Amino acid sequence: MNDFSKPVPVADSDSAPFWEGCRAHRLMIQRCGSCKTPRFPPMRTCPKCHSTETEWFKASGRGTVYSWIVVQHPVPREVYGQDVPYVVALIDLEEGVRMVSNVIGLDPHAIIGNMPVEVTFEEGQGGVVLPKFKPREA
Ligand SMILES: [Zn+2]
């Protein structure tokens, strides 16, 4: 054990609905209130039509692995050393947005491109709930 704590996300006014959703085990995604284009991470203006109208909706939680790394030598080692090896991946959600997360529940070396995954929620430090992904049947 050590005295180092892992950094946890801090919600701001744009991302607060996302983190509130995670606490309720709902993967909430922002979309444009005008052209309805989903976007992640949350932001104030639609990159497509520049509208500032915003909506939130519950994503299916299903996606596929776009790309990934298997972390063997984390920095700082004092914080993450006990977790290796672990997967940091880009996940393409069915709704058309891409997010960074961890893929858990499998041998990190067994992960393959386009692997079907689904969201799961993990309690983090300080009451933060993190969305992670686990393998699912295609
Ligand atoms: Zn738009």
Side-chain angles (χ1 to χ4, degrees):
M1 291 299 289
N2 59 57
D3 294 323
F4 293 92
S5 292
K6 293 176 182 173
V8 295
V10 176
D12 59 19
S13 60
D14 291 330
S15 65
F18 176 80
W19 295 113
E20 288 165 15
C22 288
R23 281 195 294 277
H25 291 198
R26 294 165 183 263
L27 189 63
M28 299 301 292
I29 300 295
Q30 189 187 50
R31 72 180 161 212
C32 176
S34 180
C35 76
K36 309 298 182 189
T37 302
R39 59 186 190 247
F40 187 88
M43 60 192 84
R44 297 204 174 167
T45 304
C46 176
K48 190 174 175 187
C49 77
H50 309 294
S51 169
T52 55
E53 300 292 317
T54 295
E55 300 174 351
W56 289 85
F57 68 100
K58 182 178 179 286
S60 69
R62 292 188 296 271
T64 54
V65 175
Y66 174 74
S67 184
W68 73 96
I69 60 169
V70 178
V71 177
Q72 304 276 12
H73 303 285
V75 177
R77 177 163 283 282
E78 293 80 1
V79 176
Y80 297 102
Q82 70 274 17
D83 296 336
V84 296
Y86 63 89
V87 175
V88 177
L90 294 172
I91 307 297
D92 282 344
L93 296 182
E94 284 182 344
E95 290 78 11
V97 298
R98 182 173 288 165
M99 65 174 56
V100 178
S101 185
N102 299 122
V103 179
I104 61 174
L106 80 170
D107 174 354
H109 300 287
I111 195 166
I112 57 173
N114 293 320
M115 174 181 273
V117 291
E118 64 187 356
V119 75
T120 184
F121 293 92
E122 269 194 10
E123 194 85 20
Q125 294 173 358
V128 171
V129 177
L130 300 171
K132 298 192 174 185
F133 289 83
K134 61 183 182 182
R136 69 172 161 91
E137 299 299 316

mmCIF file of all heavy atoms in Angstrom, residues 32 34-37 46 48-51, ligand 1:
data_model
loop_
_atom_site.group_PDB
_atom_site.id
_atom_site.type_symbol
_atom_site.label_atom_id
_atom_site.label_comp_id
_atom_site.label_asym_id
_atom_site.label_seq_id
_atom_site.Cartn_x
_atom_site.Cartn_y
_atom_site.Cartn_z
ATOM 1 N N CYS A 32 -26.602 17.955 -29.795
ATOM 2 C CA CYS A 32 -27.035 19.283 -30.203
ATOM 3 C C CYS A 32 -28.563 19.354 -30.160
ATOM 4 O O CYS A 32 -29.246 18.464 -30.666
ATOM 5 C CB CYS A 32 -26.527 19.551 -31.609
ATOM 6 S SG CYS A 32 -27.097 21.125 -32.279
ATOM 7 N N SER A 34 -30.255 21.425 -31.757
ATOM 8 C CA SER A 34 -30.716 21.899 -33.056
ATOM 9 C C SER A 34 -30.604 20.809 -34.123
ATOM 10 O O SER A 34 -31.596 20.348 -34.661
ATOM 11 C CB SER A 34 -29.910 23.142 -33.454
ATOM 12 O OG SER A 34 -30.337 23.623 -34.699
ATOM 13 N N CYS A 35 -29.378 20.348 -34.398
ATOM 14 C CA CYS A 35 -29.191 19.347 -35.463
ATOM 15 C C CYS A 35 -29.136 17.924 -34.929
ATOM 16 O O CYS A 35 -29.045 16.974 -35.704
ATOM 17 C CB CYS A 35 -27.949 19.665 -36.292
ATOM 18 S SG CYS A 35 -26.374 19.268 -35.492
ATOM 19 N N LYS A 36 -29.157 17.751 -33.578
ATOM 20 C CA LYS A 36 -29.227 16.440 -32.903
ATOM 21 C C LYS A 36 -27.953 15.614 -33.018
ATOM 22 O O LYS A 36 -27.964 14.417 -32.755
ATOM 23 C CB LYS A 36 -30.434 15.615 -33.407
ATOM 24 C CG LYS A 36 -31.755 16.359 -33.387
ATOM 25 C CD LYS A 36 -32.168 16.773 -32.001
ATOM 26 C CE LYS A 36 -33.535 17.478 -32.009
ATOM 27 N NZ LYS A 36 -33.874 18.078 -30.722
ATOM 28 N N THR A 37 -26.845 16.216 -33.427
ATOM 29 C CA THR A 37 -25.592 15.467 -33.526
ATOM 30 C C THR A 37 -25.027 15.191 -32.131
ATOM 31 O O THR A 37 -24.804 16.126 -31.362
ATOM 32 C CB THR A 37 -24.551 16.274 -34.337
ATOM 33 O OG1 THR A 37 -25.087 16.556 -35.628
ATOM 34 C CG2 THR A 37 -23.243 15.497 -34.476
ATOM 35 N N CYS A 46 -22.121 23.310 -30.700
ATOM 36 C CA CYS A 46 -22.102 22.187 -31.639
ATOM 37 C C CYS A 46 -21.003 22.408 -32.676
ATOM 38 O O CYS A 46 -20.994 23.436 -33.365
ATOM 39 C CB CYS A 46 -23.449 22.077 -32.335
ATOM 40 S SG CYS A 46 -23.489 20.798 -33.608
ATOM 41 N N LYS A 48 -20.758 21.052 -35.428
ATOM 42 C CA LYS A 48 -21.295 20.892 -36.775
ATOM 43 C C LYS A 48 -22.076 22.127 -37.220
ATOM 44 O O LYS A 48 -21.862 22.635 -38.322
ATOM 45 C CB LYS A 48 -22.187 19.647 -36.805
ATOM 46 C CG LYS A 48 -22.622 19.217 -38.178
ATOM 47 C CD LYS A 48 -23.375 17.886 -38.089
ATOM 48 C CE LYS A 48 -23.930 17.497 -39.446
ATOM 49 N NZ LYS A 48 -24.798 16.309 -39.348
ATOM 50 N N CYS A 49 -23.004 22.604 -36.342
ATOM 51 C CA CYS A 49 -23.871 23.711 -36.776
ATOM 52 C C CYS A 49 -23.711 24.966 -35.912
ATOM 53 O O CYS A 49 -24.370 25.966 -36.146
ATOM 54 C CB CYS A 49 -25.328 23.263 -36.808
ATOM 55 S SG CYS A 49 -26.107 23.167 -35.177
ATOM 56 N N HIS A 50 -22.847 24.888 -34.885
ATOM 57 C CA HIS A 50 -22.515 26.022 -34.013
ATOM 58 C C HIS A 50 -23.661 26.462 -33.112
ATOM 59 O O HIS A 50 -23.592 27.518 -32.493
ATOM 60 C CB HIS A 50 -21.964 27.210 -34.821
ATOM 61 C CG HIS A 50 -20.856 26.814 -35.732
ATOM 62 N ND1 HIS A 50 -19.634 26.360 -35.283
ATOM 63 C CD2 HIS A 50 -20.792 26.760 -37.086
ATOM 64 C CE1 HIS A 50 -18.870 26.057 -36.311
ATOM 65 N NE2 HIS A 50 -19.532 26.282 -37.418
ATOM 66 N N SER A 51 -24.703 25.648 -33.019
ATOM 67 C CA SER A 51 -25.787 25.963 -32.094
ATOM 68 C C SER A 51 -25.311 25.781 -30.659
ATOM 69 O O SER A 51 -24.459 24.933 -30.383
ATOM 70 C CB SER A 51 -26.978 25.033 -32.364
ATOM 71 O OG SER A 51 -27.933 25.158 -31.314
HETATM 72 ZN ZN ZN B 1 -25.735 21.075 -34.250
#
